[in-house]
Amino acid sequence: MENQELFEQVDFKVNPQYEKIIEELLRQQYSITDTFFEASEIEILRTATLGKLEEDQFKKAAIGNRTNEVIAKTIRGDFILWMDEQKADAAEKVFFSKINPLVNYLNATCFMGILHKEFHYAVYPTGTFYKRHLDAFQNDSRRKLSMVCYLNEENWLKTNGGELVIYKLDGTEEIIYPLPGRVVIFESQLLEHEVKVVKNDQRLSITGWLKTR
């Protein structure tokens, strides 16, 4: 009752899409949403990603956090470019304009204490992958939720590979195809996952983490 009164006082409005994400996270520790971004927004983000790639702004991804990075081609093969929300360009402002309301909603309804966001563009060329791993580090447990937003073209084929495999706590697997506009959110400290080999084309996404203090 107290929480309901509090929400009424601040003119709280229930968001069905966010509620679905929360329900799925509570039930299975991951959520899949195919309509988080509009098609026009995905096109803006894909164009920006390809432009930055053409400008050679990406670097080879490493394993570990920023204080302990090791480049290991046998573990992961993607190329990344970190985002800086304080210096966001027009496309990145579109991205954060959709992410920030979700963060605020999670903090208001689930009291998650998310204070920081960390996102980067990710490109997996043909033949690359990321072996099974956990997103939480031994020397940094602030990552609470992992997010992936896929930016592939509308005609992306499932045979291109690059699937995200989530290893569920009950021992089964969830195979998620990187379809354009699809957003996957999962608990960073609980669910191991991997990116299967990209067999054709290149796999584009924005990947990141919602973090506590």
Side-chain angles (χ1 to χ4, degrees), residues 77-95:
D78 55 322
F79 293 80
I80 66 172
L81 173 62
W82 289 100
M83 286 182 167
D84 183 345
E85 187 175 3
Q86 302 305 315
K87 301 178 181 178
D89 58 24
E92 291 164 356
K93 288 179 180 178
V94 169
F95 177 78

Side-chain angles (χ1 to χ4, degrees), residues 1-13:
M1 181 65 70
E2 292 182 359
N3 287 341
Q4 182 179 351
E5 292 176 352
L6 175 62
F7 290 149
E8 290 175 351
Q9 292 173 7
V10 297
D11 195 27
F12 178 83
K13 294 182 179 180

Side-chain angles (χ1 to χ4, degrees), residues 7-208:
F7 290 149
E8 290 175 351
Q9 292 173 7
V10 297
D11 195 27
F12 178 83
K13 294 182 179 180
V14 172
N15 184 305
Q17 185 180 69
Y18 297 168
E19 288 294 329
K20 172 182 175 293
I21 291 172
I22 292 170
E23 186 277 328
E24 290 180 344
L25 286 171
L26 289 173
R27 174 166 48 86
Q28 60 189 17
Q29 294 80 48
Y30 67 93
S31 172
I32 304 171
T33 305
D34 288 335
T35 57
F36 193 88
F37 289 95
E38 298 178 5
S40 59
E41 295 169 331
I42 292 299
E43 182 60 33
I44 289 171
L45 293 169
R46 176 170 53 246
T47 300
T49 303
L50 292 173
K52 295 175 188 299
L53 184 63
E54 187 174 340
E55 294 169 359
D56 200 27
Q57 296 188 36
F58 284 68
K59 70 172 185 176
K60 191 73 180 62
I63 58 173
N65 57 13
R66 297 192 190 188
T67 61
N68 185 28
E69 288 188 348
V70 177
I71 294 177
K73 294 181 180 180
T74 59
I75 296 177
R76 66 183 297 185
D78 55 322
F79 293 80
I80 66 172
L81 173 62
W82 289 100
M83 286 182 167
D84 183 345
E85 187 175 3
Q86 302 305 315
K87 301 178 181 178
D89 58 24
E92 291 164 356
K93 288 179 180 178
V94 169
F95 177 78
F96 285 110
S97 73
K98 301 298 285 283
I99 297 299
N100 289 338
L102 172 62
V103 171
N104 294 337
Y105 197 94
L106 290 173
N107 282 339
T109 59
C110 302
F111 308 101
M112 294 194 68
I114 296 168
L115 298 176
H116 305 286
K117 301 180 294 293
E118 190 176 65
F119 285 96
H120 62 66
Y121 300 94
V123 176
Y124 284 80
T126 299
T128 59
F129 54 87
Y130 195 162
K131 288 190 175 181
R132 182 171 175 170
H133 65 284
L134 195 65
D135 278 350
F137 301 118
Q138 291 184 348
N139 63 342
D140 186 350
S141 61
R142 293 176 297 168
R143 290 180 176 179
K144 298 305 177 185
L145 293 178
S146 301
M147 294 186 65
V148 186
C149 169
Y150 296 112
L151 306 177
N152 296 314
E153 295 184 358
E154 291 184 10
N155 60 354
W156 176 267
L157 302 175
K158 291 183 178 180
T159 53
N160 287 344
E163 307 96 325
L164 173 67
V165 180
I166 289 180
Y167 295 93
K168 298 190 285 186
L169 300 182
D170 63 4
T172 60
E173 302 174 4
E174 179 76 29
I175 299 175
I176 304 169
Y177 292 96
L179 302 181
R182 174 168 285 177
V183 171
V184 183
I185 304 174
F186 57 93
E187 293 199 32
S188 305
Q189 300 183 37
L190 289 181
L191 296 181
E192 293 187 333
H193 53 285
E194 71 173 306
V195 176
K196 292 293 189 179
V197 176
V198 177
K199 300 176 181 178
N200 186 45
D201 209 333
Q202 56 187 3
R203 178 186 187 271
L204 307 178
S205 68
I206 294 176
T207 298

